[in-house]
Amino acid sequence: MPAEASTAPEAATLESEVEPVLSARGLVKEYGVFRAVDGIDLELRAGEFLTIFGPNGAGKTTLLSLLGGRLRPTGGEVRVGGEPLDFSVTRWRRRIGVVSHQGMLYAHLTAAENLRFFGRLFDLDDLDERIRLRLEQVGLTDRADFEAGQLSHGMRQRLALARALLHDPELVLLDEPYTGLDPHAASVLRSVLSALRDGRRTVVMVTHNLTQGLRMATRIAVQVRGRFAWEGARSDVDAAGFEAFYHRVVEDGR
Ligand code: ATP
């Protein structure tokens, strides 16, 4: 029996009434003959937090780049708020915040100047106050006047997070945000991510950290060879047995 058939009619009606913030249909990205992303479907509503796990080379970063409009798909489409994504248009960028491997910070600008530069691109109101709040939120108030290039890796990660959230985006895409963070910085990140689960935002996070990834998620996907080998609600997985489950899904998906 198809999964939809078992859904209670009233639940199905409610779900269909809420417009997905992010949706992808048949998403494909090819590099030559190699498919890095191989037919991914996705639908996320406000308040959902999807964690994507998967082995090296599974196409997770490529998928995030497609979802954020930084890569053009070979096939399929991405919609944000029901409209096809066009990242060349500023109003899209205003709706999305990204923390990626690239960092997207200017090494010779200070932490505060990086945020100011970004905020001016979006013509944000109350920029000084936004900058103050975000630096405080990620614990970088005392580094506001340090050049980004002089910050440690973990501090740059935190600045990248402040930058990604400065414009209060409705969709937040995070690629390995825990990499290189010390335990204190990881707990700062956890509290920033918890604050994002306010029902207004939609978050997609890629991580190899099973514990942190599970803790935050409302939905979980395991990506293997460009496809979701498993995707479902966080409540459908048992935290204690998740590592074994993950390894099984990866082995079966290879
Ligand atoms: P990791 O966990 O190691 O970060 P990932 O799941 O994020 O891996 P991707 O970085 O998305 O994987 O890469 C998926 C595949 O696509 C890899 O085999 C990679 O070599 C390939 N790939 C990524 N970018 C390019 C590119 N610009 N040109 C050719 N191949 C690419």
Side-chain angles (χ1 to χ4, degrees):
M1 185 193 283
E4 298 90 295
S6 64
T7 308
E10 59 275 24
T13 309
L14 269 182
E15 182 148 295
S16 64
E17 280 169 4
V18 185
E19 181 79 16
V21 172
L22 176 67
S23 64
R25 284 279 163 273
L27 209 53
V28 170
K29 180 66 187 176
E30 292 172 342
Y31 292 112
V33 294
F34 177 73
R35 282 198 167 193
V37 170
D38 187 12
I40 284 187
D41 297 318
L42 183 69
E43 206 161 84
L44 292 173
R45 291 175 170 74
E48 291 193 290
F49 190 123
L50 170 69
T51 298
I52 304 175
F53 300 107
N56 292 135
K60 304 177 300 296
T61 293
T62 306
L63 174 61
L64 271 197
S65 300
L66 294 169
L67 296 178
R70 294 173 63 214
L71 261 186
R72 198 173 287 278
T74 314
E77 71 165 4
V78 177
R79 287 177 177 255
V80 176
E83 291 182 66
L85 180 64
D86 179 354
F87 211 50
S88 60
V89 181
T90 308
R91 76 188 163 91
W92 288 119
R93 278 181 271 156
R94 287 192 69 139
R95 297 172 72 169
I96 304 174
V98 179
V99 174
S100 72
H101 293 309
Q102 280 82 32
M104 297 184 287
L105 298 170
Y106 293 97
H108 296 297
L109 295 184
T110 67
E113 286 167 350
N114 264 284
L115 298 184
R116 184 158 291 109
F117 178 82
F118 185 70
R120 284 190 181 138
L121 282 183
F122 288 162
D123 211 10
L124 296 179
D125 298 332
D126 305 324
L127 190 51
D128 287 338
E129 181 60 5
R130 281 177 191 259
I131 292 171
R132 192 189 67 72
L133 279 174
R134 289 305 178 196
L135 287 175
E136 184 180 287
Q137 192 179 23
V138 300
L140 284 181
T141 302
D142 61 344
R143 305 292 161 133
D145 298 324
F146 279 52
E147 288 184 7
Q150 293 170 343
L151 297 176
S152 72
H153 170 78
M155 288 175 180
R156 280 200 302 276
Q157 276 284 89
R158 293 200 241 168
L159 181 57
L161 184 64
R163 199 205 70 119
L165 301 180
L166 188 69
H167 53 308
D168 207 16
E170 69 196 272
L171 174 61
V172 180
L173 305 175
L174 305 159
D175 198 355
E176 290 287 359
Y178 287 97
T179 307
L181 296 187
D182 66 35
H184 170 69
S187 93
V188 168
L189 176 61
R190 260 198 313 278
S191 65
V192 174
L193 296 186
S194 295
L196 289 181
R197 294 185 309 177
D198 58 2
R200 290 189 299 123
R201 267 174 271 257
T202 304
V203 184
V204 182
M205 176 169 79
V206 164
T207 182
H208 290 295
N209 188 320
L210 300 184
T211 309
Q212 306 288 13
L214 267 191
R215 192 194 302 244
M216 291 296 159
T218 62
R219 300 197 67 78
I220 287 164
V222 179
Q223 191 170 337
V224 185
R225 294 166 65 96
R227 295 172 167 272
F228 282 174
W230 191 86
E231 201 267 330
R234 163 68 184 84
S235 52
D236 288 345
V237 303
D238 162 34
F242 185 67
E243 188 166 354
F245 172 76
Y246 168 77
H247 289 304
R248 246 191 345 269
V249 172
V250 170
E251 281 311 312
D252 291 348
R254 282 191 201 274

